[in-house]
Every structure is written in C-alpha cells, then in structure tokens.
Amino acid sequence: MKLVVLAGLFGLTFGQNDPHMKHERTSIVHLFEWRWEDIATECERYLAPKGFGGVQISPPSESIVVTNPWQPWWQRYQPISYNLCSRSGTEEELKDMITRCNNVGVNIYVDAVINHMCGAGGGEGNHSSCGTYFNAHKKDFPSVPFSSWDFNDGKCKTASGEIENYNDIFQVRDCRLVSLLDLAMEKDYVRVKIVEYMNKLIDMGVAGFRVDASKHMWPGDLSTIFDRLNNLSTRWFPTGSKPFIYQEVIDLGGEPIQAKEYFDLGRVTEFKYSSKLGAVVRKWKNEKLCYLKNWGEGWAFMPSDKAVVFVDNHDNQRGHGAGGASVLTFWDARLYKMAMGLMLAHPYGLTRVMSSYQWDRRFENGKDQNDWIGPPSHGNGSTKAVPINPDTTCGEGWVCEHRWRQIRNMVAFRNVVHGQPLSNWWDNSKNQIAFGRGSRGFTVINNDDWNLSETLNTGLPGGTYCDVISGDKLSGGCTGKQLEVDKDGRAYFFISNKDEDPFIAVHTDSKLSKSSCTL
Ligand code: AAO
C-alpha cells in the first residue's frame, strides 16, 4: 500500500527504467529490418534457448515508400500514419510475433518514431507501406488524422525551418530534423494520437519502447505522454508493470542538450560508450585496454542504471547519426568480437546487441555512397526471409552477429554473472587485461602485439572450465580450450596475439563436471 502511495507521489513514470526481462536475462538484440515472421521463429528456435531477454524491432508504423533511392532502410523513420503495416509485415503478423515471443519469455521493444512524420519533400499520393493517402506539402495525414495545425512550423525560428544549430535548444526541439515534419507535441490532440498508438502496442503485449529522436522532443512533453501509457499486459507481465522506456539522445558532450535531462523519464542511449570503446579496442589516440579499469561512470558516462549501451547501432555502423570513425562493426569482425566480449562481460549498463545485414559499401571521399541500402530484398522491394545455414549462421546477406558463437556465449555469460561486482582486475599497463564478476565468471583479453602468459587470480571455484570464446560446453565436454582453476582460484592463461579471438571467458555454467571415471 505504502509503495503504491509513494509511486503516486513521485510521479507515474516511476519504474520505466526496468526492461522487465524474464528468467534473469539481461540483453536486448536489435533485429534490424527483420520481418515479424522471422522474429517470431527466431524467438522460439534461438533467442529463448540462448538467453536473450528481448528484441528491438524496426518501426512497425506505416511509413513512406521511397523509390529514389530504391527503398532505403531509412524510409521507416518517416511515418505516414500509426497503422501497423510495414515492410516487416502486417498487423496480424506483428501480433502473432509479439505473442509467440512473449510465450517463450522474450520481450519486444518497439522503435517508436513519434517526433515527426515524413520529410517535407515527401510528395503526395499513396506511396506508403499500407497504401494510405497523404500530402506532405499540405501536411495532411488523414489516416491519423494530422493536419497542418498539428506541426511545429510556427514555433521554429530558423529561416529554413530546419535545425541549423545544435547549440540552440529551441531549434533542436521545435525545428525540423533533416526536413522531417515536426509534430507539435505540446498540443493535447497530438499527444492523444501518439498515446493511442503506443497503448495499442502495449495492449498487444510489447514490453517497452526505444524512443527515436528524443533529443528533439521537450522532456516535459515526453513526460506527459509516458505518464498516460497503459501498464503492460498482465497476460505476460506482473500487475502494475510500466512500459520500459529508452530514449535515443546523442550526447557526446559539447552540446547544450544533455542526456541527463531525460533520466527522470527512463533510460537513455549512451553514445559515448560506443565511440570510446571503438577507440580503445582500435588503440587509437594512444588508448589502451588498461584504461578500462574505471570504465563506466569513471569515463564520464551516465549512471549505469540509466544507460543503454552498444558497440554499434543501425546509424553509426553506416556513418549516420554520431559516433565517428572509431565505431566498430561486423566489418571489423576480430576487433568487433573483442569489443562485444568486453561490453557483455562488464557490469556497466543495459546491453544491446546489433544484428545487421550486409550491403555493398562504396566509399568516395571518405563517405559510403551506399549507406542507404535497405535489407536483403526481392525485386519488388519485399524483404527476404532469414534462412539458417547448417552451421547455424544466416544466409542471404543477413549477418546475424547475435548468432556468432563468441557473442551468443557472452550474452549467456552476462546472464550467469548478473548482479556480481567487477572483481580481480589485472592489467599489464598496456593492452592485456583480465577481470572477473564475483565468483561466477572471468575473462582475459590480449590486444597487445605479443603473447599473454600469466597466472591470475580468477575468484572462481576450483575445477576445469570450458572457454566459451573458442568453443562450447557440449554434452559435458568442451569443443574449445579448457582451463584449470586450482583450489585457490588461480589459473594459468596463455593467449597468442595471433589467435583468431585473442580472449578467453569462463563462467560457472561452463564448468565441466567430473568425468565418469572419477565418480
Ligand atoms: C532521410 C535523408 C535526408 C532527408 C530525410 C527526409 O537521409 O537527407 O532530408 O530523409 O526526407 C534516419 C536516417 C536519415 C533519414 C531519416 C528519415 O539516418 O538519414 O533522413 O531516417 O528517413 C541526429 C538526431 C538523431 C538521429 C540522427 C540520424 O539527433 O535522433 O540524427 N537518429 C534517429 C534514428 C535515425 C533516423 C532518425 C532519428 C529520424 O536513429 O535512423 O534517421 O527518425 C550531431 C547531433 C546528433 C545528430 C547528428 C546527425 O552529432 O549531436 O543529435 O543526430 O549530428 O545529424 C560529432 C558530434 C556529434 C554530432 C556529430 C555529427 O560526432 O560530437 O554530436 O559530430 O555532426
């Protein structure tokens, strides 16, 4: 009773930091541009058994269909209405996917594009994913309906109507981001329409939202919207659960709008993490792994319980958004796996794993001219299914980083060590480091240009462990390297700098039981 009163006193947004993951799971995977049908199957056949907590899905709302360039991925960030037919599938398919994922304990988080509608140059007609008519020039979106009354143009003070200067907070919130028609969110009518959209998804069973372009919305407007959201469906979540909110705010420092303005509303994406981790693992600007000893708040990142962290996202993996050239992606697989291993082993933040598709990169003057290319698709623009190869990787250009053994096993590592503090830190003052998580897990990384050969205190119970980077624990055995931890928790590590993956990770669930002859 007391708790309910307190929650009421401190505002209804209380609790929107909680991703409500099931079975002690800890990570989100962004299945970028996947079809709903494929996500449903992936939840059942892979994500639940491997311990993924939730999926971030591409925007499900009706969007413009751009034909020049041909169906770019970014068309989905230009809503036409809140109807639920998109390149990923129909409303029925969306509903089926949410149900099937929830039934196996995998949450769905929706990428909610609520700051704006399509670009001002989006034209007129029904070139939209549900075939709905709209007129961008007249700001007419009859299927919501929104009309010219519902946009911010009167409020924006720049001559172009665009954000021209990120140092002016009024421009950033009241003007158009890359010409996208900016909704007037202080209007109750606009708020009501957005809330209806989000509540419909909540009632279908989603667990929360990535809120796109949050920097471009006033925290006060967002607060009113989030306060009006329904509680999560009691079919899958405890009574009184508020939807999880994580807001996309790019704050690399140097701009007046700061991530902390959004902390009262939910979590926030920590872009510094992605940019700095890339620089450290690439050893740029004299960065070294040993500097990660105080990784997290010690690097002027936001508080851990506010942060959503990632090595790369769908923007910065292709030069959109921010983060810069240091950002690591699947294109640099060896360093990428190391960075992912570090992120998933370290206690800081709520971790999001990127799952991408390949495209033909074509660099000219340092810029990828093909940064717009959409997902693997058929000639008519429909997205291709994700086929699974016999070796469990994906085909047809889907990269499926989340299925790479090293990444998938580190997602499981994070679940096993959840709640345990960072422990037994060791480094060689350069690029060899090791750390544990209480007495449940230990990792050693060699990013120097020479071998690592050390006996270290792991904090683990004595026994033989299977390294989950070079292999898997399978039917009581290990397909990779094995590690002997003595009764005092000490173990000898050798990692060649030439190894395909120059790091090792073991945890209490990768401990090998005694062989039958010793019984
Ligand atoms: C497309 C076309 C446009 C066209 C438009 C409308 O590309 O030419 O005008 O359609 O027809 C995505 C694509 C866009 C696409 C859009 C709509 O990325 O290319 O436009 O869909 O289809 C800002 C926002 C951030 C946003 C990011 C891309 O703050 O919210 O730009 N991300 C989200 C999504 C993204 C999506 C949208 C929003 C729109 O994740 O996929 O766009 O729904 C600074 C600011 C950042 C700002 C960046 C880029 O960053 O701080 O806030 O991000 O600039 O403008 C240093 C600084 C760093 C700075 C950076 C770059 O690193 O430290 O702070 O330099 O200057």
Side-chain angles (χ1 to χ4, degrees):
M1 183 64 189
K2 259 185 192 158
L3 255 180
V4 176
V5 175
L6 276 178
L9 276 178
F10 289 108
L12 292 169
T13 50
F14 182 78
Q16 296 192 240
N17 290 326
D18 182 351
H20 303 294
M21 286 183 194
K22 306 272 172 49
H23 314 299
E24 315 258 306
R25 296 174 187 166
T26 53
S27 294
I28 298 174
V29 56
H30 181 192
L31 296 180
F32 179 49
E33 285 282 6
W34 279 44
R35 303 179 321 150
W36 308 146
E37 208 183 319
D38 291 325
I39 296 178
T41 316
E42 190 71 349
C43 282
E44 295 165 343
R45 72 183 163 198
Y46 200 86
L47 301 179
K50 302 297 181 195
F52 287 81
V55 182
Q56 178 180 313
I57 62 169
S58 284
S61 44
E62 178 172 21
S63 74
I64 194 169
V65 174
V66 174
T67 49
N68 183 21
W70 177 249
Q71 303 235 15
W73 61 268
W74 44 253
Q75 66 187 9
R76 297 183 70 172
Y77 290 88
Q78 300 196 32
I80 291 303
S81 80
Y82 300 127
N83 298 332
L84 293 173
C85 25
S86 66
R87 204 176 187 183
S88 289
T90 62
E91 179 169 341
E92 272 315 299
E93 288 163 336
L94 174 67
K95 202 167 177 185
D96 178 62
M97 179 270 283
I98 296 168
T99 301
R100 286 167 60 192
C101 289
N102 275 326
N103 284 346
V104 292
V106 178
N107 292 349
I108 298 299
Y109 307 106
V110 169
D111 195 345
V113 185
I114 56 175
N115 171 63
H116 51 261
M117 301 300 278
C118 68
E124 171 191 11
N126 53 6
H127 45 280
S128 48
S129 56
C130 316
T132 294
Y133 174 83
F134 67 98
N135 186 330
H137 178 65
K138 291 192 177 147
K139 298 174 214 155
D140 187 20
F141 298 91
S143 192
V144 181
F146 283 142
S147 70
S148 58
W149 294 99
D150 301 317
F151 292 87
N152 259 337
D153 300 301
K155 258 177 119 184
C156 170
K157 300 287 178 261
T158 62
S160 62
E162 294 287 313
I163 301 168
E164 294 172 359
N165 178 2
Y166 272 87
N167 286 316
D168 179 342
I169 66 167
F170 295 95
Q171 285 189 28
V172 176
R173 265 86 176 243
D174 296 337
C175 297
R176 294 176 185 173
L177 165 66
V178 292
S179 103
L180 299 161
L181 295 172
D182 203 53
L183 285 164
M185 247 181 214
E186 82 280 10
K187 280 192 66 176
D188 198 55
Y189 174 75
V190 172
R191 293 172 176 177
V192 165
K193 288 293 150 189
I194 292 171
V195 168
E196 276 173 15
Y197 166 55
M198 295 173 84
N199 275 341
K200 180 165 181 184
L201 290 161
I202 290 171
D203 295 346
M204 285 167 85
V206 309
F209 301 91
R210 168 205 185 254
V211 183
D212 183 68
S214 293
K215 185 197 249 184
H216 305 278
M217 297 181 273
W218 294 96
D221 291 339
L222 285 177
S223 170
T224 315
I225 287 171
F226 299 157
D227 279 351
R228 292 184 191 174
L229 296 182
N230 293 344
N231 288 337
L232 300 186
S233 165
T234 50
R235 185 168 163 200
W236 293 291
F237 301 95
T239 308
S241 305
K242 298 292 292 179
F244 174 48
I245 296 288
Y246 57 113
Q247 302 156 97
E248 189 228 7
V249 179
I250 299 177
D251 175 4
L252 291 169
E255 282 179 26
I257 297 180
Q258 293 179 21
K260 66 179 182 207
E261 294 171 46
Y262 295 82
F263 289 171
D264 286 347
L265 308 177
R267 286 192 184 240
V268 183
T269 49
E270 179 51 281
F271 276 82
K272 288 176 192 153
Y273 189 104
S274 163
S275 156
K276 295 284 183 196
L277 187 57
V280 172
V281 172
R282 288 179 190 274
K283 301 189 264 189
W284 280 6
K285 296 187 187 155
N286 216 19
E287 291 286 9
K288 296 184 178 68
L289 284 195
C290 67
Y291 298 156
L292 298 180
K293 191 168 184 179
N294 65 345
W295 185 237
E297 289 92 342
W299 280 58
F301 299 164
M302 62 185 74
S304 176
D305 64 352
K306 289 293 166 195
V308 169
V309 297
F310 43 93
V311 174
D312 60 332
N313 82 344
H314 73 279
D315 282 328
N316 68 16
Q317 71 168 200
R318 45 172 55 70
H320 282 237
S326 69
V327 172
L328 282 165
T329 69
F330 67 87
W331 297 106
D332 295 295
R334 187 169 186 263
L335 294 183
Y336 188 67
K337 284 180 280 180
M338 206 189 297
M340 290 294 293
L342 264 163
M343 174 181 86
L344 291 162
H346 195 279
Y348 180 84
L350 174 66
T351 44
R352 180 178 61 189
V353 174
M354 181 69 203
S355 188
S356 322
Y357 57 79
Q358 294 200 24
W359 69 99
D360 287 326
R361 293 193 297 177
R362 192 167 60 79
F363 285 99
E364 254 171 50
N365 306 322
K367 187 187 177 300
D368 176 10
Q369 304 302 314
N370 283 343
D371 64 348
W372 56 271
I373 291 183
S377 49
H378 301 285
N380 65 0
S382 62
T383 303
K384 283 188 178 170
V386 181
I388 306 301
N389 299 322
D391 67 357
T392 77
T393 60
C394 301
E396 291 280 18
W398 297 98
V399 182
C400 291
E401 295 92 317
H402 69 286
R403 280 175 167 258
W404 295 3
R405 182 188 63 247
Q406 300 84 343
I407 295 175
R408 165 244 293 165
N409 283 351
M410 287 308 291
V411 166
F413 177 107
R414 192 174 191 78
N415 294 344
V416 173
V417 304
H418 184 52
Q420 299 288 312
L422 188 87
S423 53
N424 295 303
W425 176 273
W426 168 86
D427 65 63
N428 70 342
S429 309
K430 294 192 176 63
N431 291 292
Q432 300 183 349
I433 62 168
F435 60 92
R437 297 289 303 278
S439 55
R440 304 202 57 119
F442 197 73
T443 186
V444 187
I445 307 171
N446 178 14
N447 199 24
D448 272 328
D449 299 329
W450 56 88
N451 295 338
L452 177 151
S453 168
E454 286 292 332
T455 297
L456 299 169
N457 187 10
T458 66
L460 294 170
T464 307
Y465 289 79
C466 180
D467 165 35
V468 297
I469 302 305
S470 55
D472 287 295
K473 181 178 159 186
L474 257 189
S475 13
C478 177
T479 62
K481 295 178 190 164
Q482 295 192 20
L483 186 79
E484 297 298 332
V485 177
D486 71 18
K487 61 178 186 353
D488 298 324
R490 294 173 70 77
Y492 171 71
F493 292 89
F494 178 85
I495 305 177
S496 162
N497 62 309
K498 304 259 165 39
D499 280 357
E500 165 56 20
D501 296 307
F503 63 113
I504 286 177
V506 292
H507 55 76
T508 42
D509 280 6
S510 81
K511 190 166 184 232
L512 302 169
S513 49
K514 292 198 172 62
S515 62
S516 49
C517 55
T518 61
L519 281 177

